[in-house]
Amino acid sequence: MRVLWISLIFAALLALLAVGLGLNPREVPSPLIGKPAPPFELPLLGSPDKTFSQKDMLGKVWILNVWASWCPPCLVEHPVITELAKTVSTVGLNYKDAREDALPWLKRNGDPYQLSVYDAAGRIAIDYGVYGVPETYVIDRGGVIRYKHVGPLTPEIARKKVQPLVAELSK
Amino acid sequence: MIARLLLLAVLLASLRAAASEDPALDKRVSALASELRCLVCQNQTLADSNAPLAVDLRNQIREQLKAGASEREVTDYMVARYGDFVLYRPPFKATTVLLWAGPFLFLVLGGFVMYRRITKRAVPEPRLSQADRERAAKLLE
């Protein structure tokens, strides 16, 4: 009886640790899911005299991808974004970057974005709760954030989470 | 010469003024920054971290406090963007009940187990039958 109890407690502790240690501490649950995408009006990366606002996408399901030329993981996820952008409107948020670095980066690696906005000071990124580039948001027709991914999008996450969600929201 | 010295004095004075323009504000900023977590290096506070984002967020705190926001308002601003995770002292609510109450729960549980063991171990007083008592009395005579 006693052995049973002790092994039960041990098993419970083990299970708790297994779950706890398996969690990724970098995955901070975003309070923005289900909330309207924070408003902004930013100049375009390519043409500084034009601006873009999140309002311009109302009525569309779209992806906002935060990237920078100084961010190696952004290059890692670049093919995945390129693939996604073929079917979903994808807007880039160029984060704390310089135009003279960002534009050649797009030229070198290909520009999958419908357009990129230029957030040199990172102010808008703070409103979006960005803390590690790249970050990716799926925003629905009503302008509500439905999904957020921190870190490079893997082909698996794109296939299993982002694409099904976009398909569901586009219905 | 005197004019130059005077100029130097004025320059120095203005430099010092710039360094600690508002010590009270500095104090409030660093107090608040040490209550908030830097999301880039998660085990550091915003006050300790030199990550670019931490610098930006410290500037945010300063700007907002300077504009007249209360500590509470700045904290709410951070929580709205980064969640309760930014708080080094998470609030007491449904999802954090176990976090706050857990240790006390274990204390009570441990106390209960200990109490049970101690009372169990106490040797019960042996019961003597009438015959045993008579025998004992006889032996003691």
Side-chain angles (χ1 to χ4, degrees):
Chain A
M1 188 61 192
R2 195 168 177 182
V3 176
L4 185 77
W5 267 111
I6 290 174
S7 41
L8 253 172
I9 291 171
F10 183 70
L13 208 66
L14 209 68
L16 206 72
L17 283 175
V19 173
L21 294 174
L23 289 176
N24 180 1
R26 301 216 67 95
E27 249 169 50
V28 181
S30 174
L32 289 164
I33 309 284
K35 301 244 171 71
F40 65 84
E41 173 112 41
L42 282 172
L44 300 192
L45 179 66
S47 26
D49 47 330
K50 283 189 201 146
T51 61
F52 170 85
S53 158
Q54 92 292 344
K55 277 184 288 188
D56 300 344
M57 297 304 275
L58 277 178
K60 268 191 205 166
V61 179
W62 59 295
I63 288 175
L64 181 73
N65 178 241
V66 185
W67 68 279
S69 66
W70 47 261
C71 139
C74 296
L75 194 56
V76 173
E77 75 162 7
H78 196 66
V80 183
I81 297 293
T82 306
E83 196 56 37
L84 273 176
K86 284 179 188 162
T87 52
V88 200
S89 305
T90 303
V91 171
L93 180 87
N94 184 244
Y95 174 67
K96 298 194 87 172
D97 210 343
R99 280 206 170 86
E100 60 266 32
D101 296 327
L103 289 169
W105 192 90
L106 285 179
K107 207 165 212 176
R108 214 165 41 240
N109 303 303
D111 183 355
Y113 305 108
Q114 180 180 319
L115 57 93
S116 275
V117 289
Y118 185 55
D119 187 15
R123 273 300 306 271
I124 299 306
I126 290 179
D127 286 343
Y128 276 79
V130 170
Y131 62 91
V133 226
E135 292 198 10
T136 306
Y137 300 79
V138 177
I139 299 168
D140 71 11
R141 286 192 176 120
V144 172
I145 297 178
R146 302 301 288 262
Y147 177 76
K148 174 186 175 181
H149 180 77
V150 179
L153 266 187
T154 61
E156 204 188 356
I157 296 169
R159 201 175 57 241
K160 286 194 178 153
K161 286 201 175 144
V162 180
Q163 278 168 343
L165 179 62
V166 169
E168 162 93 29
L169 294 174
S170 307
K171 261 179 205 165
Chain B
M1 185 66 197
I2 289 171
R4 277 200 180 174
L5 272 177
L6 261 174
L7 189 71
L8 192 73
V10 169
L11 270 174
L12 274 176
S14 63
L15 257 178
R16 268 182 66 187
S20 60
E21 198 179 312
D22 190 348
L25 180 68
D26 289 347
K27 219 171 188 175
R28 284 177 73 200
V29 171
S30 66
L32 194 52
S34 52
E35 285 285 317
L36 298 171
R37 185 192 301 274
C38 169
L39 286 114
V40 183
C41 352
Q42 293 182 347
N43 290 328
Q44 282 189 311
T45 65
L46 276 185
D48 295 332
S49 175
N50 275 320
L53 181 68
V55 176
D56 287 354
L57 290 178
R58 277 204 299 273
N59 287 337
Q60 270 296 316
I61 295 175
R62 176 176 294 272
E63 257 176 50
Q64 291 187 17
L65 287 180
K66 209 170 179 179
S70 69
E71 267 78 358
R72 185 61 202 265
E73 281 165 341
V74 179
T75 308
D76 288 347
Y77 168 92
M78 294 293 171
V79 171
R81 283 155 182 75
Y82 296 102
D84 288 338
F85 191 73
V86 293
L87 304 175
Y88 263 108
R89 286 183 233 215
F92 190 88
K93 56 186 200 184
T95 47
T96 58
V97 161
L98 207 61
L99 180 71
W100 282 105
F104 300 104
L105 212 73
F106 277 112
L107 189 71
V108 169
L109 206 75
F112 177 71
V113 169
M114 208 165 84
Y115 173 77
R116 282 276 305 267
R117 300 212 121 199
I118 288 170
T119 50
K120 223 180 200 173
R121 203 181 291 159
V123 183
E125 209 175 305
R127 295 210 141 193
L128 295 179
S129 66
Q130 194 55 38
D132 288 335
R133 279 179 201 281
E134 276 167 20
R135 244 184 87 207
K138 218 173 236 170
L139 285 170
L140 287 172
E141 258 173 22

